Each structure stands twice: as C-alpha cells, then as structure tokens.
Amino acid sequence: MFGHVFSKPENCLHLLQSILPDLGITEVEVTPQKQLNKKLLEKNVIMDLWAKNKDGKIFDVEMQTTKQKWPGIRFRYYQSIADQDSLRPGEDLDQIGETYIIFIYPFDPFGEGKYIYEGAFLLDKDNPDSQANTKTHWISINARGYKGKIKSELKDFLNYIKYGLTKDSSNFIKKIDRERLDYIRSTEWRDAKMSLDVLLADERAEARKEGRRQGRKEGREEGKA
C-alpha cells in the first residue's frame, strides 16, 4: 500500500525532499513495484519505493512495520539489490551510483530518541576519522523521534504514521490518505491482498513440511546413535 501511494512521482518527490532536503532533488523517476530476482534466495524481491533522480542517485524507501533482529543485515541485503542497478557491465568502479537505503519505522529502532539515524563505514573501527566514502547511505527514520531537526513536511508524515489523519494534517497528508483509501477500495488491492494471502499460506505450509522433514531426519540420526 505504501509503495502504491508513493509510486506517483509527485508523492515520491515530496517524501524524498522532506527526508533529504540538502540534496536539492527536483525530479525523480519512479519504478512502481520494483522487482528484482535474488538468485541467492531463489525468489523475487518487491521494493516498497524505488526511484532515481536525474543524477543517477538511487533511492530505496522501505516501511518496516515489525522489529527486526538484525537491521544491519537487512540494510546489507537491500544494498546488494540496489548495487545491481548502480553499475552497468563494463563500467569502472568509480562510476558506481550513489544509493540511499531508507527504512521508516513506526517505533524507535535504536532507542536513542533521534528522528533520523544514519550509519557510517569506518576503515579503522578505532578511528572515527577513517570514514570511508562508499557512496552508500543507510538511513533509519524513527516516527517516535524527538531529537534533532527535521523538516515540517517529514514531521507531518511521521505524525500520520503514528496517529493517522488528524485536524492538523497538511494538505499533502490529506491527499495521500485519500489515495490510500481509494486503493484499499479498489479491485487491484483486493487482488494483491488475495495473492499475498495465498503466497503466505504456501510459505507457511512449506515451512511446516520442512519442519516435519527435519524432525524425521533428526529422529533417524538419534536412532542410529
């Protein structure tokens, strides 16, 4: 649903401008429901929001609705997907594109109270001045934040995540809320939800089968022992 509403370039642009005001983004090209095949896992990955600007910068914005045990590994995973699009075959390494992987949380992922957390890569873990320019940006946005300065547009969006539509919501928030409701009422949403429910049911059934197979295998091994 998040990906559908922000697949419209004007909505995506507004969101990215509120998150990254210093970049001066003026236009973006959005790929709705970006799908990339990860052979490692033998399944397709659907990105929530995937966009590029005229400078070739890649923006991947993901809504994280549940607490993840290994947020760093998730960042690395999505970064590997972004890297597939940031360097074409035959190009030199210095031509690799700049990428922004952005996770939006309805809770505080690190417990520090910041609105925005951004990671850094050090060439020497004991030397903070050894920060490496990897052209990658891993950003966590905390809807429950209260430390730091952010644009009012971003604060409006985070309040929408926390409280839904209120009398103080901006015109932009009212607009995306209408589009969200229209999508929920559409046959497209019902079909997508039905497909997702079937997929999840299949995955759960396969997981149960694998659990039973593993249990039988362990039982046989214990019997031999």
Side-chain angles (χ1 to χ4, degrees):
M1 188 187 309
F2 171 84
H4 177 84
V5 171
F6 286 96
S7 65
K8 295 184 177 181
E10 65 272 19
N11 292 349
C12 176
L13 179 61
H14 188 282
L15 180 62
L16 291 175
Q17 286 175 333
S18 69
I19 296 173
L20 303 163
D22 295 338
L23 288 188
I25 306 170
T26 57
E27 60 182 75
V28 289
E29 177 184 338
V30 185
T31 303
Q33 294 295 287
K34 174 78 171 180
Q35 296 189 43
L36 291 172
N37 182 261
K38 291 292 290 179
K39 293 182 180 178
L40 180 64
L41 298 181
E42 296 182 347
K43 66 179 180 180
N44 286 331
V45 178
I46 301 178
M47 323 306 284
D48 281 349
L49 175 58
W50 184 272
K52 290 184 180 180
N53 73 346
K54 60 182 179 181
D55 298 325
K57 291 182 175 66
I58 292 174
F59 305 92
D60 174 27
V61 185
E62 304 288 333
M63 285 293 297
Q64 304 294 304
T65 56
T66 58
K67 292 189 176 182
Q68 305 295 334
K69 188 175 181 180
W70 306 110
I73 292 176
R74 292 185 67 81
F75 270 115
R76 177 181 171 183
Y77 178 69
Y78 281 96
Q79 183 64 56
S80 71
I81 297 172
D83 286 342
Q84 294 180 21
D85 268 23
S86 62
L87 189 67
R88 297 183 181 89
E91 289 183 333
D92 293 333
L93 277 177
D94 61 357
Q95 293 177 286
I96 195 168
E98 197 154 2
T99 58
Y100 292 78
I101 312 298
I102 302 168
F103 289 172
I104 300 176
Y105 297 88
F107 51 85
D108 190 337
F110 304 115
E112 297 291 334
K114 296 179 181 179
Y115 281 114
I116 298 177
Y117 300 93
E118 182 166 2
F121 294 89
L122 300 179
L123 297 175
D124 176 6
K125 65 182 180 64
D126 297 322
N127 180 7
D129 294 327
S130 67
Q131 186 169 327
N133 178 18
T134 61
K135 292 188 177 181
T136 62
H137 305 268
W138 293 1
I139 298 171
S140 301
I141 298 179
N142 169 24
R144 299 285 173 180
Y146 55 90
K147 292 181 181 178
K149 293 182 179 180
I150 59 174
K151 288 182 69 67
S152 59
E153 291 86 352
L154 179 56
K155 188 174 289 188
D156 286 340
F157 178 66
L158 298 182
N159 284 336
Y160 178 60
I161 292 176
K162 290 188 292 185
Y163 309 119
L165 198 66
T166 69
K167 62 181 181 62
D168 297 321
S169 295
S170 66
N171 290 332
F172 173 72
I173 296 301
K174 293 175 182 176
K175 174 177 178 291
I176 64 171
D177 187 69
R178 286 195 302 271
E179 293 175 1
R180 179 187 67 85
L181 292 175
D182 289 343
Y183 182 53
I184 290 174
R185 298 180 184 121
S186 70
T187 56
E188 182 183 355
W189 162 249
R190 288 196 294 272
D191 292 343
K193 187 175 185 302
M194 186 178 299
S195 298
L196 179 60
D197 290 342
V198 170
L199 176 63
L200 290 175
D202 289 345
E203 288 188 351
R204 293 188 188 107
E206 185 59 33
R208 287 193 293 270
K209 288 180 183 177
E210 181 60 30
R212 288 193 292 268
R213 285 195 294 266
Q214 187 65 27
R216 288 194 293 268
K217 180 181 177 182
E218 291 175 355
R220 288 194 296 269
E221 291 175 350
E222 288 177 2
K224 290 178 181 177

